């Protein structure tokens, strides 16, 4: 660690463990030791981490309700030549956690920002699910789903039409409703991976068809407990790409008056093609049709 540089007047954005305290990196530990102060989303939870690692650096609060004021206080410290660490409750600050406003303020003021990476629930879920490949490493991170069903369904239509696995967060008390909406919007044969309690004692990673997700959760009450990352797998593309033009015309016509689910059901009866294939086609065409209609107006 003697080769590591620790310049003064620098904001160190430090990733902390998402569950297992052993996932704090040596570099992150050294940063927390060497900084003059640590700006924390929750000083109580951060103190538990620091105590476990023998770090006695003072803590100050920097959360979403005081982020503007915290940014100014941090700028004053940097101006005095101090080193400041920024941490969230778990994982990376400024990524689905407070901190981005502080980072922007520090950069705009001309001070150095040094990110110190570490544990990530998104990357851990991808590592454990196998949904990407080295030939096609694409994925998208969509953050938290909306709380209300109507907004959530619209949000899912937007994100799940992307030709890549979609990684998202959800809270336990909305999980059952969320998976029902995923099945409704994305079709019954779309696959979902549940990554629960990552890095912790009861870690669980399970992949299931959207149609079977609710029953899988209901089989064991523990499956709906803890912190969740959900991955909606990419819709099968090959069959959609080879669908003939008349089927595309049929889907477009049905979508003018029917929902995605009903349009794919009717089209399956007319064409004899698999419903999941037609659902994927309808999902892709719905966005295109809306864009074309808006352009015509």
């Amino acid at each position: 660690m003697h080769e590591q540089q620790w310049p003064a007047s620098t904001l160190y954005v430090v990733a902390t463990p998402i569950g297992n305290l052993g996932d704090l990196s040596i570099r992150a530990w050294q940063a927390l030791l060497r900084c003059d102060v640590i700006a924390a989303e929750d000083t109580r939870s951060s103190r538990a981490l620091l105590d476990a690692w023998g770090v006695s650096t003072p803590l100050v609060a920097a959360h979403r309700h005081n982020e503007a004021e915290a940014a100014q206080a941090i700028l004053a410290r940097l101006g005095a030549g101090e080193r400041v660490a920024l941490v969230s409750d778990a994982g990376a600050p400024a990524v689905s956690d407070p901190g981005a406003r502080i980072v922007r303020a520090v950069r705009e003021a001309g001070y150095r920002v040094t990110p110190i990476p570490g544990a990530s629930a998104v990357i851990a879920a991808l590592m454990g699910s196998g949904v990407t490949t080295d030939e096609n490493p694409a994925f998208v991170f969509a953050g938290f789903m909306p709380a209300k069903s109507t907004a959530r369904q619209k949000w899912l239509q937007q994100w799940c039409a992307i030709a890549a696995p979609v990684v998202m967060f959800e809270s336990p008390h909305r999980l059952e409703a969320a998976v029902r909406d995923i099945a409704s919007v994305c079709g019954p044969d779309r696959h979902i991976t549940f990554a629960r309690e990552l890095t912790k004692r009861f870690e669980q990673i399970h992949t299931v068809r959207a149609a079977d997700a609710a029953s899988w959760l209901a089989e064991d009450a523990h499956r709906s407990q803890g912190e969740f990352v959900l991955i909606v797998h990419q819709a099968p593309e090959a069959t959609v790409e080879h669908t003939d033009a008349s089927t595309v015309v049929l889907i477009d016509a049905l979508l003018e008056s029917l929902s995605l689910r009903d349009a794919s059901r009717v089209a399956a009866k007319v064409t004899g093609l698999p419903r999941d294939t037609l659902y994927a086609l309808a999902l892709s065409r719905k966005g295109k049709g809306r864009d074309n209609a808006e352009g015509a107006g």
Side-chain angles (χ1 to χ4, degrees):
M1 293 299 295
H2 66 280
E3 296 179 357
Q4 174 68 47
Q5 300 297 311
W6 303 100
S9 298
T10 298
L11 177 69
Y12 296 87
V13 185
V14 182
T16 55
I18 59 175
N20 191 319
L21 295 184
D23 285 338
L24 186 73
S25 73
I26 298 299
R27 184 173 174 229
W29 173 54
Q30 286 291 305
L32 297 176
L33 280 170
R34 293 169 184 265
C35 282
D36 298 285
V37 69
I38 299 169
E41 180 183 5
D42 186 326
T43 56
R44 290 173 298 180
S45 63
S46 292
R47 176 49 63 194
L49 171 67
L50 299 182
D51 287 346
W53 279 84
V55 176
S56 58
T57 305
L59 286 163
V60 296
H63 47 73
R64 59 176 41 92
H65 301 297
N66 79 335
E67 198 167 357
E69 296 83 354
Q72 294 308 308
I74 288 170
L75 288 175
R77 287 180 176 273
L78 297 176
E82 293 189 8
R83 300 175 181 88
V84 180
L86 177 65
V87 301
S88 58
D89 286 355
V95 183
S96 287
D97 271 330
R101 188 172 186 174
I102 292 171
V103 170
R104 288 196 300 269
V106 170
R107 287 172 52 84
E108 289 168 2
Y111 293 107
R112 182 171 177 174
V113 175
T114 298
I116 300 184
S120 164
V122 171
I123 298 302
L126 290 168
M127 290 167 64
S129 65
V131 297
T132 64
T133 65
D134 53 351
E135 294 85 9
N136 183 20
F139 69 92
V140 294
F141 172 55
F144 282 93
M145 282 187 266
K148 302 291 186 180
S149 181
T150 301
R152 185 166 54 234
Q153 290 183 22
K154 184 176 181 180
W155 184 89
L156 286 166
Q157 287 177 3
Q158 170 192 344
W159 283 105
C160 295
I162 296 172
V166 182
V167 185
M168 58 192 70
F169 294 154
E170 188 52 280
S171 62
H173 68 277
R174 291 201 299 263
L175 191 63
E176 185 177 344
V179 298
R180 285 200 303 266
D181 283 342
I182 292 172
S184 175
V185 170
C186 300
D189 292 316
R190 195 79 167 261
H191 281 80
I192 305 172
T193 290
F194 295 87
R196 184 176 74 90
E197 292 291 88
L198 289 170
T199 78
K200 302 176 185 177
R201 179 181 177 184
F202 298 107
E203 176 181 276
Q204 185 175 31
I205 301 174
H206 182 75
T207 299
V208 65
R209 292 171 64 248
D212 302 324
S215 60
W216 179 80
L217 289 172
E219 288 172 3
D220 185 343
H222 292 99
R223 293 175 181 172
S224 297
Q225 298 174 0
E227 295 184 338
F228 283 86
V229 178
L230 299 182
I231 303 175
V232 177
H233 294 217
Q234 181 176 344
E237 289 186 23
T239 50
V240 172
E241 291 174 354
H242 292 89
T243 304
D244 62 55
S246 62
T247 303
V248 174
V249 172
L250 173 63
I251 284 289
D252 285 346
L254 291 171
L255 286 173
E256 291 179 4
S257 56
L258 298 177
S259 66
L260 285 164
R261 181 168 53 186
D262 289 343
S264 58
R265 178 177 54 80
V266 172
K269 289 183 177 180
V270 172
T271 64
L273 294 171
R275 183 179 168 188
D276 60 323
T277 298
L278 293 167
Y279 196 99
L281 174 61
L283 188 60
S284 67
R285 296 299 299 175
K286 189 174 181 67
K288 292 178 181 178
R290 180 167 56 250
D291 292 342
N292 291 339
E294 290 174 352

